[in-house]
Amino acid sequence: MTPEIADAAILLAVGLASGFINTLAGGGSLLTLPALIFLGLPGTVANGTNRIALLIQNAGAIAGFRQQKVFPLRASLLASIPYMAGTVLGALLAVDIPDHQFKPILAAVIVGVMIVIVIDPSKRVRAPQGPLSLRRKIVISIGFFVIGIYGGFIQAGAGLVIITLMLLAGFDLIQTNAVKIMVVAASTCIALAIFIAHGQVNFLYGVILGVGSATGGWAATFVAVKKGHAWIRGFVLVMVVIFAAKLTFDSLGWHF
């Protein structure tokens, strides 16, 4: 197997796994970002390239949720507008950060998100379902703006925070996943345009990764409606520990 074919196979496999993870829970970028860096991309370019995969993946997931007739359009629009505004700020910060600073930041983010996965607040936090009151609209708008800044900057793990916010606002897990996919898809278009304008995107790697991600995302929508996301936590934890360790060692100048 040539190095090019091996790289493509790795990207497809990682994309498939991340598509499942992102659609069912969130945190798939914790796999894709380190994988892109492992294949030789600078951290900042990996961050931009990952947005192509996210866009393709979320298009497949949206199609799957629409096919399942689970798509709360009103809530999606309410969340998308402030999230996209925050995304612009976050992406502008991300394109200017030096590569040697990005890797330790990513390693710290991975560890932080790993803690969130272990705690799994989406299982513990619930609010009664009800109409979209003014208070709920304000909470959603402010919350999604803040998360949007983070999502524009690095994206990895943003889906997990979105899930917690939506459950706090009184949505069920199926609606939450559908809204999360729509919000991330809309904001990814903006972030990707910023990364492209700054020359921080590898289109070939992004498209290959996106094909795998879209397949995993589309398939996972059928699982999401029936099972939720708890069963993938063990797999995610193992992978993020490995990748966090690698990024930490790389940032210290050690390699393995």
Side-chain angles (χ1 to χ4, degrees):
M1 183 181 292
T2 66
E4 292 79 8
I5 295 177
D7 288 355
I10 291 172
L11 289 171
L12 285 171
V14 172
L16 185 66
S18 71
F20 257 91
I21 293 168
N22 272 334
T23 302
L24 292 177
S29 292
L30 299 175
L31 303 181
T32 56
L33 275 173
L36 288 166
I37 294 172
F38 176 79
L39 293 177
L41 295 186
T44 50
V45 176
N47 195 13
T49 301
N50 187 52
R51 310 304 171 115
I52 295 180
L54 284 171
L55 186 59
I56 297 173
Q57 171 213 303
N58 285 314
I62 288 172
F65 275 117
R66 287 178 64 87
Q67 187 174 346
Q68 292 288 306
K69 302 186 185 303
V70 181
F71 201 80
L73 182 60
R74 183 182 177 189
S76 296
L77 293 175
L78 177 64
S80 295
I81 294 173
Y83 192 92
M84 287 189 290
T87 294
V88 173
L89 296 179
L92 289 173
L93 290 172
V95 295
D96 289 331
I97 188 170
D99 187 57
H100 70 276
Q101 294 180 6
F102 179 79
K103 286 185 178 179
I105 290 175
L106 178 58
V109 167
I110 287 177
V111 172
V113 174
M114 184 173 62
I115 293 172
V116 174
I117 293 174
V118 172
I119 297 173
D120 198 7
S122 64
K123 276 192 168 183
R124 295 173 171 80
V125 180
R126 287 289 190 279
Q129 296 186 34
L132 280 173
S133 63
L134 178 61
R135 180 181 177 182
R136 290 179 70 196
K137 290 178 180 178
I138 292 174
V139 169
I140 291 172
S141 298
I142 295 175
F144 271 94
F145 175 74
V146 174
I147 301 170
I149 296 175
Y150 170 76
F153 181 77
I154 203 169
Q155 184 58 42
L160 297 169
V161 186
I162 290 174
I163 286 175
T164 302
L165 175 62
M166 292 294 290
L167 292 174
L168 277 169
F171 291 87
D172 64 42
L173 190 56
I174 296 174
Q175 290 177 319
T176 292
N177 275 306
V179 170
K180 178 195 68 181
I181 293 299
M182 177 64 183
V183 167
V184 173
S187 64
T188 297
C189 293
I190 297 174
L192 179 58
I194 293 174
F195 280 103
I196 290 174
H198 286 77
Q200 296 183 354
V201 173
N202 183 308
F203 288 95
L204 179 60
Y205 276 24
V207 170
I208 294 173
L209 186 65
V211 170
S213 295
T215 304
W218 174 82
T221 58
F222 297 91
V223 178
V225 173
K226 296 180 179 179
K227 293 186 178 180
H229 69 275
W231 63 279
I232 62 171
R233 289 176 64 239
F235 172 76
V236 177
L237 285 173
V238 171
M239 296 305 295
V240 297
V241 167
I242 293 172
F243 284 132
K246 174 170 174 53
L247 287 170
T248 301
F249 278 104
D250 284 353
S251 67
L252 294 174
W254 305 338
H255 301 280
F256 67 91

Short mmCIF file of all heavy atoms in Angstrom, two decimals, residues 96-163:
data_model
loop_
_atom_site.label_atom_id
_atom_site.label_comp_id
_atom_site.label_asym_id
_atom_site.label_seq_id
_atom_site.Cartn_x
_atom_site.Cartn_y
_atom_site.Cartn_z
N ASP A 96 -4.98 33.35 13.29
CA ASP A 96 -3.79 34.14 13.64
C ASP A 96 -2.89 33.49 14.68
O ASP A 96 -1.84 34.02 15.01
CB ASP A 96 -4.23 35.53 14.15
CG ASP A 96 -4.78 36.41 13.04
OD1 ASP A 96 -4.34 36.23 11.88
OD2 ASP A 96 -5.66 37.25 13.33
N ILE A 97 -3.30 32.34 15.21
CA ILE A 97 -2.51 31.71 16.27
C ILE A 97 -1.36 30.91 15.66
O ILE A 97 -1.55 30.17 14.69
CB ILE A 97 -3.39 30.81 17.16
CG1 ILE A 97 -2.60 30.33 18.37
CG2 ILE A 97 -3.93 29.61 16.37
CD1 ILE A 97 -3.47 29.64 19.41
N PRO A 98 -0.13 31.05 16.17
CA PRO A 98 1.01 30.27 15.65
C PRO A 98 0.82 28.78 15.90
O PRO A 98 0.19 28.37 16.88
CB PRO A 98 2.20 30.81 16.46
CG PRO A 98 1.75 32.14 16.98
CD PRO A 98 0.27 32.01 17.20
N ASP A 99 1.38 27.98 15.01
CA ASP A 99 1.20 26.52 15.09
C ASP A 99 1.76 25.95 16.39
O ASP A 99 1.19 25.04 16.98
CB ASP A 99 1.86 25.84 13.89
CG ASP A 99 1.57 24.35 13.83
OD1 ASP A 99 0.37 23.99 13.78
OD2 ASP A 99 2.51 23.56 13.86
N HIS A 100 2.90 26.48 16.86
CA HIS A 100 3.51 25.93 18.08
C HIS A 100 2.66 26.21 19.31
O HIS A 100 2.82 25.55 20.34
CB HIS A 100 4.93 26.48 18.27
CG HIS A 100 4.97 27.94 18.64
ND1 HIS A 100 4.92 28.95 17.70
CD2 HIS A 100 5.04 28.55 19.85
CE1 HIS A 100 4.98 30.12 18.31
NE2 HIS A 100 5.04 29.91 19.61
N GLN A 101 1.75 27.18 19.21
CA GLN A 101 0.84 27.44 20.32
C GLN A 101 -0.46 26.65 20.19
O GLN A 101 -1.12 26.36 21.19
CB GLN A 101 0.51 28.94 20.40
CG GLN A 101 1.69 29.82 20.76
CD GLN A 101 1.32 31.29 20.81
OE1 GLN A 101 0.15 31.65 20.69
NE2 GLN A 101 2.31 32.15 21.00
N PHE A 102 -0.81 26.29 18.96
CA PHE A 102 -2.08 25.61 18.73
C PHE A 102 -2.09 24.20 19.31
O PHE A 102 -3.08 23.78 19.92
CB PHE A 102 -2.39 25.56 17.23
CG PHE A 102 -3.69 24.86 16.91
CD1 PHE A 102 -4.90 25.51 17.06
CD2 PHE A 102 -3.70 23.54 16.48
CE1 PHE A 102 -6.10 24.87 16.78
CE2 PHE A 102 -4.89 22.89 16.19
CZ PHE A 102 -6.09 23.56 16.35
N LYS A 103 -0.99 23.44 19.14
CA LYS A 103 -0.97 22.05 19.59
C LYS A 103 -1.18 21.92 21.09
O LYS A 103 -2.00 21.09 21.53
CB LYS A 103 0.32 21.37 19.14
CG LYS A 103 0.35 21.05 17.66
CD LYS A 103 1.61 20.28 17.28
CE LYS A 103 1.62 19.92 15.81
NZ LYS A 103 2.85 19.18 15.42
N PRO A 104 -0.47 22.66 21.94
CA PRO A 104 -0.76 22.52 23.38
C PRO A 104 -2.16 22.96 23.76
O PRO A 104 -2.75 22.41 24.69
CB PRO A 104 0.32 23.41 24.04
CG PRO A 104 0.86 24.27 22.96
CD PRO A 104 0.70 23.52 21.69
N ILE A 105 -2.70 23.96 23.04
CA ILE A 105 -4.08 24.37 23.30
C ILE A 105 -5.03 23.22 22.97
O ILE A 105 -5.95 22.91 23.74
CB ILE A 105 -4.45 25.62 22.48
CG1 ILE A 105 -3.70 26.84 23.01
CG2 ILE A 105 -5.96 25.87 22.53
CD1 ILE A 105 -3.90 28.09 22.18
N LEU A 106 -4.80 22.56 21.82
CA LEU A 106 -5.64 21.43 21.43
C LEU A 106 -5.53 20.30 22.43
O LEU A 106 -6.53 19.67 22.79
CB LEU A 106 -5.26 20.94 20.03
CG LEU A 106 -6.03 19.73 19.50
CD1 LEU A 106 -7.53 20.01 19.46
CD2 LEU A 106 -5.52 19.34 18.10
N ALA A 107 -4.31 20.02 22.92
CA ALA A 107 -4.12 18.96 23.91
C ALA A 107 -4.90 19.28 25.18
O ALA A 107 -5.56 18.41 25.77
CB ALA A 107 -2.64 18.80 24.23
N ALA A 108 -4.87 20.54 25.62
CA ALA A 108 -5.61 20.94 26.82
C ALA A 108 -7.11 20.83 26.61
O ALA A 108 -7.85 20.39 27.50
CB ALA A 108 -5.24 22.38 27.20
N VAL A 109 -7.56 21.20 25.40
CA VAL A 109 -8.99 21.09 25.08
C VAL A 109 -9.43 19.63 25.13
O VAL A 109 -10.49 19.30 25.66
CB VAL A 109 -9.28 21.70 23.70
CG1 VAL A 109 -10.67 21.31 23.22
CG2 VAL A 109 -9.16 23.22 23.75
N ILE A 110 -8.61 18.74 24.57
CA ILE A 110 -8.95 17.32 24.55
C ILE A 110 -9.10 16.79 25.97
O ILE A 110 -10.04 16.05 26.28
CB ILE A 110 -7.88 16.52 23.77
CG1 ILE A 110 -8.01 16.79 22.28
CG2 ILE A 110 -8.02 15.02 24.04
CD1 ILE A 110 -6.96 16.10 21.43
N VAL A 111 -8.17 17.16 26.84
CA VAL A 111 -8.26 16.70 28.23
C VAL A 111 -9.53 17.24 28.89
O VAL A 111 -10.25 16.52 29.59
CB VAL A 111 -7.01 17.15 29.02
CG1 VAL A 111 -7.19 16.85 30.51
CG2 VAL A 111 -5.77 16.45 28.49
N GLY A 112 -9.82 18.53 28.64
CA GLY A 112 -11.02 19.13 29.22
C GLY A 112 -12.30 18.46 28.75
O GLY A 112 -13.19 18.17 29.55
N VAL A 113 -12.37 18.21 27.44
CA VAL A 113 -13.57 17.56 26.89
C VAL A 113 -13.67 16.12 27.38
O VAL A 113 -14.77 15.61 27.62
CB VAL A 113 -13.55 17.63 25.36
CG1 VAL A 113 -14.71 16.83 24.77
CG2 VAL A 113 -13.62 19.08 24.89
N MET A 114 -12.51 15.48 27.56
CA MET A 114 -12.52 14.11 28.07
C MET A 114 -13.16 14.07 29.47
O MET A 114 -13.93 13.16 29.78
CB MET A 114 -11.10 13.57 28.13
CG MET A 114 -10.99 12.11 28.56
SD MET A 114 -9.29 11.51 28.39
CE MET A 114 -8.42 12.58 29.52
N ILE A 115 -12.87 15.08 30.27
CA ILE A 115 -13.49 15.17 31.60
C ILE A 115 -15.00 15.32 31.47
O ILE A 115 -15.77 14.71 32.22
CB ILE A 115 -12.88 16.34 32.39
CG1 ILE A 115 -11.40 16.06 32.69
CG2 ILE A 115 -13.65 16.58 33.69
CD1 ILE A 115 -10.67 17.23 33.30
N VAL A 116 -15.43 16.15 30.52
CA VAL A 116 -16.86 16.34 30.29
C VAL A 116 -17.51 15.02 29.88
O VAL A 116 -18.62 14.69 30.32
CB VAL A 116 -17.11 17.41 29.20
CG1 VAL A 116 -18.59 17.49 28.85
CG2 VAL A 116 -16.61 18.77 29.67
N ILE A 117 -16.81 14.25 29.02
CA ILE A 117 -17.35 12.96 28.57
C ILE A 117 -17.51 12.01 29.76
O ILE A 117 -18.51 11.30 29.88
CB ILE A 117 -16.43 12.33 27.51
CG1 ILE A 117 -16.45 13.17 26.23
CG2 ILE A 117 -16.88 10.89 27.20
CD1 ILE A 117 -15.45 12.70 25.19
N VAL A 118 -16.52 12.00 30.66
CA VAL A 118 -16.59 11.13 31.83
C VAL A 118 -17.76 11.53 32.74
O VAL A 118 -18.54 10.70 33.20
CB VAL A 118 -15.27 11.17 32.62
CG1 VAL A 118 -15.41 10.43 33.95
CG2 VAL A 118 -14.14 10.56 31.79
N ILE A 119 -17.88 12.84 32.98
CA ILE A 119 -18.97 13.34 33.84
C ILE A 119 -20.31 13.15 33.16
O ILE A 119 -21.32 12.85 33.80
CB ILE A 119 -18.74 14.83 34.16
CG1 ILE A 119 -17.45 15.00 34.97
CG2 ILE A 119 -19.93 15.40 34.94
CD1 ILE A 119 -17.06 16.44 35.20
N ASP A 120 -20.33 13.35 31.82
CA ASP A 120 -21.53 13.21 30.99
C ASP A 120 -22.70 14.00 31.56
O ASP A 120 -23.72 13.44 31.96
CB ASP A 120 -21.90 11.73 30.86
CG ASP A 120 -22.86 11.51 29.68
OD1 ASP A 120 -23.11 12.47 28.92
OD2 ASP A 120 -23.36 10.38 29.52
N PRO A 121 -22.59 15.34 31.57
CA PRO A 121 -23.67 16.15 32.16
C PRO A 121 -24.99 16.02 31.42
O PRO A 121 -26.04 16.28 32.00
CB PRO A 121 -23.12 17.59 32.04
CG PRO A 121 -22.11 17.52 30.94
CD PRO A 121 -21.50 16.17 31.04
N SER A 122 -24.96 15.59 30.16
CA SER A 122 -26.21 15.45 29.42
C SER A 122 -27.11 14.38 30.00
O SER A 122 -28.32 14.36 29.76
CB SER A 122 -25.91 15.12 27.94
OG SER A 122 -25.28 13.87 27.82
N LYS A 123 -26.54 13.47 30.81
CA LYS A 123 -27.36 12.45 31.48
C LYS A 123 -27.92 12.95 32.80
O LYS A 123 -28.93 12.46 33.27
CB LYS A 123 -26.51 11.20 31.74
CG LYS A 123 -26.42 10.25 30.57
CD LYS A 123 -25.81 8.94 31.03
CE LYS A 123 -25.97 7.87 29.97
NZ LYS A 123 -25.46 6.57 30.42
N ARG A 124 -27.23 13.93 33.36
CA ARG A 124 -27.61 14.40 34.69
C ARG A 124 -28.46 15.66 34.67
O ARG A 124 -29.16 15.97 35.62
CB ARG A 124 -26.35 14.66 35.52
CG ARG A 124 -25.55 13.40 35.81
CD ARG A 124 -24.22 13.73 36.48
NE ARG A 124 -23.55 12.52 36.95
CZ ARG A 124 -22.86 11.71 36.17
NH1 ARG A 124 -22.75 11.96 34.89
NH2 ARG A 124 -22.30 10.62 36.67
N VAL A 125 -28.37 16.40 33.56
CA VAL A 125 -29.04 17.71 33.50
C VAL A 125 -30.28 17.59 32.62
O VAL A 125 -30.19 17.20 31.46
CB VAL A 125 -28.10 18.78 32.92
CG1 VAL A 125 -28.81 20.13 32.86
CG2 VAL A 125 -26.84 18.88 33.76
N ARG A 126 -31.40 17.91 33.19
CA ARG A 126 -32.65 17.89 32.42
C ARG A 126 -33.51 19.07 32.87
O ARG A 126 -33.53 19.43 34.05
CB ARG A 126 -33.43 16.59 32.65
CG ARG A 126 -32.83 15.36 31.97
CD ARG A 126 -33.00 15.41 30.46
NE ARG A 126 -32.64 14.16 29.82
CZ ARG A 126 -31.41 13.79 29.54
NH1 ARG A 126 -30.41 14.59 29.86
NH2 ARG A 126 -31.18 12.64 28.94
N ALA A 127 -34.23 19.65 31.95
CA ALA A 127 -35.21 20.69 32.26
C ALA A 127 -36.54 20.26 31.68
O ALA A 127 -36.58 19.56 30.66
CB ALA A 127 -34.78 22.04 31.69
N PRO A 128 -37.64 20.65 32.29
CA PRO A 128 -38.94 20.25 31.76
C PRO A 128 -39.15 20.78 30.34
O PRO A 128 -38.78 21.92 30.04
CB PRO A 128 -39.94 20.89 32.73
CG PRO A 128 -39.15 21.35 33.89
CD PRO A 128 -37.74 21.49 33.47
N GLN A 129 -39.73 19.97 29.48
CA GLN A 129 -40.03 20.42 28.13
C GLN A 129 -41.23 21.36 28.15
O GLN A 129 -42.11 21.25 29.00
CB GLN A 129 -40.30 19.23 27.22
CG GLN A 129 -39.10 18.32 27.05
CD GLN A 129 -39.37 17.22 26.04
OE1 GLN A 129 -40.08 17.42 25.07
NE2 GLN A 129 -38.79 16.05 26.28
N GLY A 130 -41.25 22.29 27.23
CA GLY A 130 -42.35 23.24 27.16
C GLY A 130 -42.17 24.19 26.00
O GLY A 130 -41.25 24.02 25.20
N PRO A 131 -43.03 25.20 25.90
CA PRO A 131 -42.94 26.15 24.79
C PRO A 131 -41.68 27.01 24.91
O PRO A 131 -41.08 27.13 25.97
CB PRO A 131 -44.20 27.00 24.95
CG PRO A 131 -44.55 26.89 26.40
CD PRO A 131 -44.14 25.51 26.81
N LEU A 132 -41.28 27.63 23.78
CA LEU A 132 -40.12 28.50 23.76
C LEU A 132 -40.48 29.85 24.38
O LEU A 132 -40.84 30.80 23.69
CB LEU A 132 -39.61 28.68 22.33
CG LEU A 132 -38.76 27.55 21.75
CD1 LEU A 132 -38.48 27.80 20.28
CD2 LEU A 132 -37.45 27.43 22.52
N SER A 133 -40.37 29.93 25.69
CA SER A 133 -40.66 31.18 26.40
C SER A 133 -39.55 32.19 26.14
O SER A 133 -38.49 31.86 25.61
CB SER A 133 -40.78 30.92 27.90
OG SER A 133 -39.54 30.46 28.41
N LEU A 134 -39.80 33.44 26.54
CA LEU A 134 -38.80 34.49 26.36
C LEU A 134 -37.52 34.15 27.11
O LEU A 134 -36.41 34.35 26.60
CB LEU A 134 -39.35 35.83 26.84
CG LEU A 134 -38.38 37.02 26.75
CD1 LEU A 134 -37.95 37.27 25.31
CD2 LEU A 134 -39.03 38.27 27.35
N ARG A 135 -37.66 33.62 28.31
CA ARG A 135 -36.48 33.25 29.10
C ARG A 135 -35.66 32.18 28.41
O ARG A 135 -34.42 32.27 28.34
CB ARG A 135 -36.93 32.76 30.48
CG ARG A 135 -35.77 32.36 31.38
CD ARG A 135 -36.27 31.86 32.73
NE ARG A 135 -35.17 31.41 33.56
CZ ARG A 135 -35.33 30.90 34.77
NH1 ARG A 135 -36.55 30.77 35.28
NH2 ARG A 135 -34.29 30.51 35.47
N ARG A 136 -36.33 31.17 27.88
CA ARG A 136 -35.61 30.11 27.17
C ARG A 136 -34.92 30.65 25.92
O ARG A 136 -33.80 30.27 25.60
CB ARG A 136 -36.57 28.98 26.79
CG ARG A 136 -37.09 28.18 27.97
CD ARG A 136 -38.06 27.11 27.51
NE ARG A 136 -37.38 26.05 26.78
CZ ARG A 136 -38.00 25.16 26.01
NH1 ARG A 136 -39.31 25.24 25.84
NH2 ARG A 136 -37.33 24.23 25.40
N LYS A 137 -35.56 31.56 25.22
CA LYS A 137 -34.96 32.15 24.02
C LYS A 137 -33.71 32.94 24.36
O LYS A 137 -32.71 32.88 23.64
CB LYS A 137 -35.98 33.05 23.32
CG LYS A 137 -37.12 32.29 22.65
CD LYS A 137 -38.10 33.26 22.01
CE LYS A 137 -39.25 32.51 21.35
NZ LYS A 137 -40.26 33.43 20.76
N ILE A 138 -33.74 33.67 25.48
CA ILE A 138 -32.58 34.46 25.89
C ILE A 138 -31.42 33.54 26.27
O ILE A 138 -30.27 33.77 25.88
CB ILE A 138 -32.95 35.40 27.07
CG1 ILE A 138 -33.92 36.48 26.59
CG2 ILE A 138 -31.69 36.03 27.65
CD1 ILE A 138 -34.46 37.35 27.71
N VAL A 139 -31.73 32.49 27.04
CA VAL A 139 -30.70 31.54 27.45
C VAL A 139 -30.06 30.89 26.22
O VAL A 139 -28.83 30.77 26.13
CB VAL A 139 -31.30 30.46 28.38
CG1 VAL A 139 -30.30 29.32 28.59
CG2 VAL A 139 -31.69 31.07 29.71
N ILE A 140 -30.89 30.47 25.28
CA ILE A 140 -30.38 29.83 24.07
C ILE A 140 -29.50 30.78 23.26
O ILE A 140 -28.41 30.43 22.81
CB ILE A 140 -31.55 29.31 23.20
CG1 ILE A 140 -32.24 28.13 23.90
CG2 ILE A 140 -31.05 28.88 21.83
CD1 ILE A 140 -33.51 27.68 23.22
N SER A 141 -29.96 32.02 23.09
CA SER A 141 -29.23 32.99 22.28
C SER A 141 -27.86 33.31 22.87
O SER A 141 -26.84 33.26 22.17
CB SER A 141 -30.05 34.27 22.11
OG SER A 141 -31.26 34.02 21.45
N ILE A 142 -27.83 33.63 24.16
CA ILE A 142 -26.56 33.96 24.80
C ILE A 142 -25.64 32.75 24.83
O ILE A 142 -24.44 32.84 24.53
CB ILE A 142 -26.80 34.49 26.23
CG1 ILE A 142 -27.57 35.82 26.18
CG2 ILE A 142 -25.47 34.68 26.97
CD1 ILE A 142 -27.95 36.35 27.55
N GLY A 143 -26.20 31.60 25.20
CA GLY A 143 -25.39 30.39 25.28
C GLY A 143 -24.78 30.01 23.96
O GLY A 143 -23.58 29.67 23.87
N PHE A 144 -25.56 30.09 22.89
CA PHE A 144 -25.04 29.70 21.58
C PHE A 144 -24.03 30.70 21.04
O PHE A 144 -23.13 30.33 20.29
CB PHE A 144 -26.18 29.48 20.58
CG PHE A 144 -26.70 28.08 20.59
CD1 PHE A 144 -27.80 27.73 21.37
CD2 PHE A 144 -26.09 27.09 19.84
CE1 PHE A 144 -28.28 26.43 21.39
CE2 PHE A 144 -26.55 25.78 19.86
CZ PHE A 144 -27.65 25.45 20.63
N PHE A 145 -24.15 31.97 21.41
CA PHE A 145 -23.14 32.95 20.99
C PHE A 145 -21.79 32.61 21.63
O PHE A 145 -20.75 32.61 20.94
CB PHE A 145 -23.57 34.36 21.39
CG PHE A 145 -22.53 35.41 21.10
CD1 PHE A 145 -22.28 35.82 19.80
CD2 PHE A 145 -21.78 35.96 22.13
CE1 PHE A 145 -21.31 36.78 19.52
CE2 PHE A 145 -20.80 36.91 21.86
CZ PHE A 145 -20.57 37.32 20.55
N VAL A 146 -21.79 32.31 22.92
CA VAL A 146 -20.55 31.98 23.61
C VAL A 146 -19.94 30.69 23.07
O VAL A 146 -18.73 30.61 22.79
CB VAL A 146 -20.79 31.86 25.13
CG1 VAL A 146 -19.54 31.37 25.84
CG2 VAL A 146 -21.24 33.20 25.71
N ILE A 147 -20.78 29.67 22.89
CA ILE A 147 -20.28 28.41 22.35
C ILE A 147 -19.78 28.61 20.92
O ILE A 147 -18.82 27.97 20.48
CB ILE A 147 -21.38 27.32 22.37
CG1 ILE A 147 -21.86 27.09 23.80
CG2 ILE A 147 -20.85 26.00 21.80
CD1 ILE A 147 -23.10 26.21 23.89
N GLY A 148 -20.43 29.52 20.18
CA GLY A 148 -20.02 29.79 18.81
C GLY A 148 -18.60 30.33 18.73
O GLY A 148 -17.86 30.02 17.78
N ILE A 149 -18.20 31.16 19.69
CA ILE A 149 -16.82 31.67 19.70
C ILE A 149 -15.84 30.51 19.82
O ILE A 149 -14.85 30.42 19.08
CB ILE A 149 -16.62 32.66 20.87
CG1 ILE A 149 -17.50 33.90 20.67
CG2 ILE A 149 -15.15 33.07 20.99
CD1 ILE A 149 -17.47 34.86 21.84
N TYR A 150 -16.14 29.60 20.75
CA TYR A 150 -15.29 28.42 20.91
C TYR A 150 -15.33 27.54 19.66
O TYR A 150 -14.29 27.06 19.19
CB TYR A 150 -15.73 27.61 22.13
CG TYR A 150 -15.06 26.27 22.23
CD1 TYR A 150 -13.75 26.16 22.67
CD2 TYR A 150 -15.73 25.10 21.87
CE1 TYR A 150 -13.12 24.93 22.75
CE2 TYR A 150 -15.12 23.87 21.95
CZ TYR A 150 -13.81 23.79 22.38
OH TYR A 150 -13.20 22.58 22.45
N GLY A 151 -16.52 27.34 19.11
CA GLY A 151 -16.65 26.50 17.93
C GLY A 151 -15.90 27.06 16.74
O GLY A 151 -15.30 26.32 15.97
N GLY A 152 -15.93 28.37 16.57
CA GLY A 152 -15.18 28.98 15.48
C GLY A 152 -13.69 28.84 15.66
O GLY A 152 -12.95 28.71 14.70
N PHE A 153 -13.25 28.85 16.92
CA PHE A 153 -11.82 28.78 17.21
C PHE A 153 -11.27 27.38 16.98
O PHE A 153 -10.24 27.20 16.33
CB PHE A 153 -11.55 29.22 18.64
CG PHE A 153 -10.09 29.20 19.02
CD1 PHE A 153 -9.25 30.21 18.59
CD2 PHE A 153 -9.58 28.18 19.78
CE1 PHE A 153 -7.90 30.20 18.91
CE2 PHE A 153 -8.23 28.16 20.12
CZ PHE A 153 -7.38 29.17 19.68
N ILE A 154 -11.94 26.35 17.53
CA ILE A 154 -11.37 25.01 17.46
C ILE A 154 -12.39 23.92 17.17
O ILE A 154 -12.02 22.85 16.70
CB ILE A 154 -10.60 24.70 18.76
CG1 ILE A 154 -9.55 23.62 18.54
CG2 ILE A 154 -11.55 24.30 19.87
CD1 ILE A 154 -8.59 23.48 19.71
N GLN A 155 -13.63 24.11 17.48
CA GLN A 155 -14.75 23.21 17.20
C GLN A 155 -14.76 21.94 18.03
O GLN A 155 -15.81 21.48 18.47
CB GLN A 155 -14.81 22.83 15.70
CG GLN A 155 -16.00 21.96 15.32
CD GLN A 155 -17.34 22.63 15.67
OE1 GLN A 155 -17.51 23.83 15.44
NE2 GLN A 155 -18.27 21.87 16.22
N ALA A 156 -13.60 21.34 18.28
CA ALA A 156 -13.54 20.04 18.96
C ALA A 156 -14.27 20.08 20.30
O ALA A 156 -13.94 20.86 21.18
CB ALA A 156 -12.09 19.63 19.19
N GLY A 157 -15.29 19.25 20.44
CA GLY A 157 -16.03 19.16 21.68
C GLY A 157 -17.18 20.14 21.81
O GLY A 157 -17.93 20.08 22.78
N ALA A 158 -17.35 21.03 20.81
CA ALA A 158 -18.44 22.02 20.90
C ALA A 158 -19.80 21.33 20.94
O ALA A 158 -20.73 21.81 21.60
CB ALA A 158 -18.37 22.98 19.72
N GLY A 159 -19.93 20.20 20.24
CA GLY A 159 -21.21 19.49 20.22
C GLY A 159 -21.64 19.02 21.60
O GLY A 159 -22.83 19.03 21.93
N LEU A 160 -20.66 18.64 22.43
CA LEU A 160 -20.99 18.20 23.78
C LEU A 160 -21.56 19.34 24.61
O LEU A 160 -22.48 19.16 25.41
CB LEU A 160 -19.73 17.63 24.45
CG LEU A 160 -19.13 16.38 23.80
CD1 LEU A 160 -17.76 16.09 24.39
CD2 LEU A 160 -20.05 15.19 23.97
N VAL A 161 -21.00 20.54 24.43
CA VAL A 161 -21.49 21.71 25.16
C VAL A 161 -22.88 22.10 24.65
O VAL A 161 -23.76 22.49 25.43
CB VAL A 161 -20.50 22.89 25.02
CG1 VAL A 161 -20.95 24.06 25.89
CG2 VAL A 161 -19.10 22.46 25.40
N ILE A 162 -23.08 21.99 23.34
CA ILE A 162 -24.39 22.30 22.76
C ILE A 162 -25.45 21.37 23.33
O ILE A 162 -26.56 21.81 23.67
CB ILE A 162 -24.35 22.18 21.23
CG1 ILE A 162 -23.51 23.32 20.64
CG2 ILE A 162 -25.76 22.21 20.64
CD1 ILE A 162 -23.30 23.20 19.14
N ILE A 163 -25.13 20.09 23.46
CA ILE A 163 -26.07 19.13 24.01
C ILE A 163 -26.49 19.53 25.43
O ILE A 163 -27.68 19.53 25.77
CB ILE A 163 -25.47 17.71 24.01
CG1 ILE A 163 -25.44 17.15 22.58
CG2 ILE A 163 -26.25 16.77 24.92
CD1 ILE A 163 -24.75 15.82 22.47
#
